[in-house]
Amino acid sequence: MRVKRQKRHRKSVRFYTACCGFRQPYKVLCDVTFVHHLVTNRIIPADKAISIVLGAPVLLFTTKCALAELKQHGPMLGPSYSQSLEAANSLITARCDHESHVSAEDCILDVVGQSNSEHFFVATQHVDLRRKLLKVIVSLYILLLSCWPLRICY
């Protein structure tokens, strides 16, 4: 990663750490689309790559609704489905209070909430989810572009 971009990312992370209460190790809530892109672009280990971008250690989370959606719609992903499912199962499961499974997008929005009290970074490739996260007061999301450059958007 370029030094300028890395410096800009670390500066914005420092701002959110000082002003909004984000603490190390940073919690990154991963969407299934992000996990699938990590697997298809062979960015392994994912926690190392994201910790380089954020400049600190990270904990990767997903939700049980996102895992259920991956199991349900996974065969459409092709041959990398089993690898994506294995990678998603290896992540820590964040607590969601849904009786039945809802879409991963709605579940992640519910976990983050209106004020992001758990201080999650959200890692997603889903365009609609990114647009909805812009409305949350304190939210950052991580975006994977092509095969390596991870970007922080706020």
Side-chain angles (χ1 to χ4, degrees):
M1 183 186 322
R2 297 177 126 180
V3 175
K4 278 186 173 182
R5 188 177 307 145
Q6 192 174 31
K7 188 176 178 182
R8 187 175 61 226
H9 291 330
R10 287 189 179 161
K11 188 176 180 181
S12 62
V13 169
R14 260 195 322 264
F15 169 77
Y16 278 93
T17 301
C19 295
C20 302
F22 284 75
R23 314 172 276 295
Q24 293 183 10
Y26 296 121
K27 299 178 190 177
V28 179
L29 187 59
C30 297
D31 188 14
V32 291
T33 57
F34 189 79
V35 173
H36 178 68
H37 279 280
L38 287 174
V39 169
T40 56
N41 292 316
R42 296 182 185 96
I43 300 176
I44 298 173
D47 56 344
K48 279 266 201 229
I50 296 173
S51 67
I52 289 171
V53 171
L54 296 179
V58 296
L59 296 174
L60 301 180
F61 289 85
T62 191
T63 62
K64 64 181 180 180
C65 296
L67 289 172
E69 185 175 299
L70 181 62
K71 289 176 186 173
Q72 182 181 8
H73 300 295
M76 292 187 301
L77 297 176
S80 63
Y81 158 69
S82 61
Q83 295 172 344
S84 298
L85 184 61
E86 183 181 321
N89 280 328
S90 69
L91 302 178
I92 302 168
T93 306
R95 187 181 65 120
C96 69
D97 300 327
H98 301 115
E99 297 287 327
S100 61
H101 298 295
V102 298
S103 71
E105 179 182 338
D106 293 336
C107 184
I108 288 174
L109 286 172
D110 285 345
V111 169
V112 170
Q114 279 301 101
S115 62
N116 196 6
S117 61
E118 291 290 320
H119 306 294
F120 279 115
F121 287 88
V122 179
T124 185
Q125 294 295 108
H126 201 269
V127 177
D128 293 335
L129 180 57
R130 285 186 280 166
R131 286 187 186 134
K132 290 178 183 177
L133 283 172
L134 289 175
K135 296 176 185 173
V136 175
I137 296 170
V138 181
S139 70
L140 290 168
Y141 61 88
I142 299 172
L143 176 65
L144 174 67
L145 300 173
S146 70
C147 64
W148 169 244
L150 294 169
R151 296 209 177 186
I152 299 173
C153 304
Y154 45 91

